[in-house]
Amino acid sequence: MSMEALLWAEGQIAGGSQSRFVLLILAGCADECGRADVTCAKIAALTEMREAQVRAAFRQLRDRGLLENPLLACGDGVYRLTMASAETLRTSALDEIREAS
């Protein structure tokens, strides 16, 4: 699990609750480069969504530029989040903390 991916996903507008849930699951499975090795069936089981709903969320995330080349047919897949570098995330998080103070 990558904290950078989770922080990045938390700040994104996914376009709906199902897409957000799928994005957060992908981020929870992602490495520091945003690469998540997880199946559509596993995401469906974790979210209690149908696989068709997960595929629709993949499409929405891809259309919003948050996911690169999602595998639209369920099966084994590797997904890549289009997240910013970890340094950019840390800087943004620090700026938000400073503004809140």
Side-chain angles (χ1 to χ4, degrees):
M1 174 172 60
S2 164
M3 286 306 296
E4 288 87 3
L6 286 169
L7 285 171
W8 172 84
E10 196 175 271
Q12 303 308 307
I13 298 173
S17 58
Q18 290 182 339
S19 294
R20 179 174 256 328
F21 200 7
V22 169
L23 181 62
L24 290 170
I25 294 294
L26 286 169
C29 296
D31 62 16
E32 63 279 352
C33 296
R35 182 181 180 275
D37 188 359
V38 63
T39 65
C40 179
K42 177 69 172 178
I43 294 171
L46 289 170
T47 60
E48 298 184 12
M49 293 166 55
R50 295 186 328 269
E51 290 184 9
Q53 292 171 301
V54 174
R55 287 191 302 272
F58 286 159
R59 282 190 293 274
Q60 189 166 35
L61 294 170
R62 182 199 59 217
D63 291 346
R64 288 183 167 273
L66 302 176
L67 188 62
E68 293 178 3
N69 301 321
L71 181 66
L72 295 179
C74 282
D76 292 332
V78 175
Y79 307 91
R80 184 172 176 85
L81 304 172
T82 58
M83 50 188 253
S85 71
E87 185 59 36
T88 301
L89 288 170
R90 280 191 284 277
T91 303
S92 297
L94 287 173
D95 290 342
E96 287 179 24
I97 291 168
R98 286 184 193 120
E99 287 176 13
S101 299

